[in-house]
Amino acid sequence: MYAVGEKIVYGENGVCTVESIGPLPMAGMPKDKDYYQLVPLIGTGNYFAPVDGGVYMRPVMSRDEAEALIDAIPDIEPAICNDSRFNHVDAYYKELFRQHSCTVLVSIVKGLHSRMTDRKSRSSRAEATMKRAKDMLHGELSVALDIDVKDVEDYIASRIAELN
């Protein structure tokens, strides 16, 4: 069980802070089942997730894991979908997001960046998918590295530059 104040990765929503634990604060809901009230690090609103399961949750990676991931970025293969049918492309990325892996998020960003550069055009769908992957990745890295989320991209770039 997670504790109030703890930051966790919640499903495909990215990093959230556990705001409270208890029954749902809504009329007519059973009072014998506990839920996490989760507030996203990036974005607005609240999520309510049952304490006893069903939804993917995990602790945020450690600082050492974050730095190892960043060091591995140059060697991570880009995720590229060669199918041009929108529903197949959407299914491809949905399946990748379901893996809940930061390495996969890096591969999505690298693949979409490459695709948009090669085509010299931007699709709103590709941009939205890349933003989602970056938000999830940068959110977790910011917590693990204890830096502001808007500083993550520069941190990644400087660390990779040091490796070369």
Side-chain angles (χ1 to χ4, degrees), residues 23-31 48:
L24 286 176
M26 297 168 216
M29 297 305 296
K31 301 298 178 198
F48 293 93

Side-chain angles (χ1 to χ4, degrees), residues 130-143:
M130 185 155 71
K131 179 181 179 341
R132 181 175 172 214
K134 277 186 169 184
D135 284 351
M136 291 174 68
L137 178 65
H138 291 182
E140 186 163 1
L141 288 172
S142 76
V143 172

Side-chain angles (χ1 to χ4, degrees), residues 72-137:
I73 286 175
D75 299 321
I76 295 173
E77 291 296 318
I80 298 172
C81 181
N82 293 316
D83 198 319
S84 60
R85 294 171 287 185
F86 289 126
N87 59 336
H88 289 234
V89 173
D90 283 348
Y92 175 76
Y93 288 112
K94 281 181 185 175
E95 186 56 38
L96 291 177
F97 278 108
R98 281 189 204 113
Q99 293 180 33
H100 309 288
S101 162
C102 288
T103 302
V104 171
L105 293 174
V106 170
S107 71
I108 291 170
V109 171
K110 287 178 79 171
L112 287 171
H113 178 68
S114 172
R115 179 180 174 179
M116 290 190 293
T117 301
D118 290 348
R119 293 185 178 191
K120 294 184 174 61
S121 67
R122 296 189 159 329
S123 86
S124 60
R125 195 172 247 163
E127 285 182 345
T129 302
M130 185 155 71
K131 179 181 179 341
R132 181 175 172 214
K134 277 186 169 184
D135 284 351
M136 291 174 68
L137 178 65

